[in-house]
Amino acid sequence: MKTTEIFKKHTVLSFEVFPPKRTGAVDTIYSTLEELQKLHPDFISVTYGAGGNENCKATLEIAAAVKNNYHIESVAHLPCIGLSKEDVLSQIRHFKEAGIENILALRGDIPKDGEMSGDFRYAGELIAFIRERCSFNVIAACYPEGHTESETIAADIRNLKTKVDAGADQLITQLFFDNDYFYRFRERCSLAGIHVPIQAGIMPVVNKKQIERMVSLCGVHLPRKFTAMMERYEHNPEAMRDAGIAYAADQIIDLTAQGVDGIHLYTMNNPYIAAKIYEAVHRVLAA
Ligand code: FAD
């Protein structure tokens, strides 16, 4: 099923997982999926390490298992940086053969040496390329606080509109910790003529190191309420985990009350946390 169809029925709840980095640890993902299956997500998306051939195999294998073994709709991420058109064609052929109908079409991060290679400069070019050749449901990434390379949020939204015009059917946001940024972004999208479903990407924070890494990568704003929580509980992992779960649940409840199209939970392959959040929000999402 194309995931865009699900938004017509209810507020969507989806999960994101990543292929385990440690060689030989791929099996652990299957026990994670087994646990996540019990939470009845509308779909599960599987990340893909840009430029990495091994990761792309793992993405395909896991996304295929989500769909065919766990009977959950799956989304395969596909960052195009460093890929030729032939690479992309081969990749999407594999996805199709595995029964995958949804692709999260991305550019990927520019490598540290700044060298861009491959046939695609922006995700919009990949989206148009896929659209012209096959009937996948295409999802794109978006950034409520602006993408780190964009000088202004207005420029970023203009580029986002290009991606939607190229054929993106649905959007998923980067993580954020201040819902007001999301509401302003949603309003700006609407004014720019972007009317596809926008899912809010929520990451439960369970340790300080994780969040410091994320902030340096994505440059998201940390509200006072959030930094106070991190400072208070940084040396008490269990309290930090519980506070992080409560913070994410609170964000989701507010977003749902304000009519969000869907929630995409960055699970960090941690089914315990996903289950706790599900417990806290599933009635709210279904109401
Ligand atoms: P683009 O849409 O191409 O945008 C990149 C920058 O270029 C932006 O600043 C944008 O404003 C600008 N831009 C876009 N189009 C144009 C244009 N036509 N002209 C001029 N400027 C333009 N990365 C991975 O490697 N693997 C993953 O699995 C992965 N999953 C992700 C999932 C989500 C939900 C999100 C939000 C991000 C994910 N990423 C992943 C990270 C993503 O690859 C990076 O954020 C990357 O830097 C940008 O990708 P993009 O698809 O948004 O790029």
Side-chain angles (χ1 to χ4, degrees):
M1 187 206 280
K2 297 187 173 182
T3 54
T4 308
E5 291 301 311
I6 313 169
F7 292 88
K8 295 176 189 160
K9 299 183 206 153
H10 55 253
T11 310
V12 166
L13 175 66
S14 59
F15 297 148
E16 181 170 305
V17 299
F18 55 82
K21 289 193 180 62
R22 227 163 14 94
T23 335
V26 171
D27 283 355
T28 61
I29 191 69
Y30 296 110
S31 54
T32 300
L33 291 176
E34 227 159 80
E35 293 305 309
L36 294 179
Q37 185 187 35
K38 296 176 190 159
L39 311 179
H40 315 292
D42 288 305
F43 67 87
I44 292 181
S45 83
V46 186
T47 68
Y48 178 133
N53 277 335
E54 279 313 304
N55 264 353
C56 96
K57 270 194 228 144
T59 301
L60 171 65
E61 196 181 308
I62 297 164
V66 166
K67 170 98 186 188
N68 303 315
N69 304 354
Y70 297 92
H71 311 291
I72 301 167
E73 213 38 68
S74 77
V75 172
H77 294 212
L78 180 58
C80 58
I81 203 158
L83 299 186
S84 66
K85 289 181 178 170
E86 288 71 33
D87 292 332
V88 168
L89 283 176
S90 145
Q91 212 33 256
I92 58 183
R93 202 176 46 245
H94 290 314
F95 289 154
K96 200 168 175 196
E97 283 163 6
I100 296 161
E101 294 176 64
N102 305 283
I103 294 179
L104 176 43
L106 300 144
R107 185 198 65 187
D109 286 327
I110 296 175
K112 286 196 180 69
D113 62 12
E115 273 292 306
M116 286 273 279
S117 59
D119 288 340
F120 304 89
R121 276 172 314 155
Y122 297 111
E125 295 172 7
L126 173 67
I127 293 167
F129 184 79
I130 297 172
R131 263 277 161 271
E132 279 162 21
R133 282 158 185 83
C134 37
S135 62
F136 281 97
N137 186 57
V138 180
I139 308 168
C142 62
Y143 304 84
E145 299 176 52
H147 183 260
T148 45
E149 288 163 39
S150 278
E151 288 193 359
T152 63
I153 182 91
D156 205 36
I157 289 186
R158 272 198 303 279
N159 293 330
L160 182 61
K161 175 78 165 75
T162 312
K163 290 205 280 195
V164 173
D165 291 346
D169 301 294
Q170 173 191 334
L171 301 172
I172 302 181
T173 77
Q174 177 175 265
L175 59 98
F176 57 89
F177 300 107
D178 183 340
N179 288 359
D180 284 343
Y181 280 91
F182 178 81
Y183 300 131
R184 278 197 291 275
F185 170 74
R186 191 170 61 169
E187 184 68 29
R188 282 176 158 140
C189 285
S190 168
L191 291 172
I194 296 171
H195 300 302
V196 296
I198 305 176
Q199 252 183 297
I202 297 295
M203 176 175 282
V205 170
V206 290
N207 67 59
K208 199 169 175 226
K209 226 165 153 197
Q210 167 206 2
I211 193 58
E212 282 168 351
R213 204 176 87 79
M214 286 298 160
V215 170
S216 77
L217 284 175
C218 329
V220 294
H221 166 68
L222 300 181
R224 175 90 199 89
K225 182 177 164 185
F226 186 85
T227 51
M229 174 185 90
M230 286 209 305
E231 278 156 27
R232 169 111 194 178
Y233 304 118
E234 70 174 302
H235 300 300
N236 184 334
E238 284 179 1
M240 177 66 121
R241 186 192 61 197
D242 291 354
I245 290 169
Y247 191 96
D250 185 48
Q251 269 192 289
I252 294 171
I253 291 167
D254 178 54
L255 287 160
T256 311
Q258 305 216 35
V260 73
D261 295 315
I263 300 293
H264 185 68
L265 194 68
Y266 296 104
T267 68
M268 307 301 290
N269 290 5
N270 187 326
Y272 173 85
I273 289 170
K276 287 289 171 195
I277 292 178
Y278 174 80
E279 226 172 76
V281 306
H282 75 278
R283 282 186 207 88
V284 170
L285 282 167

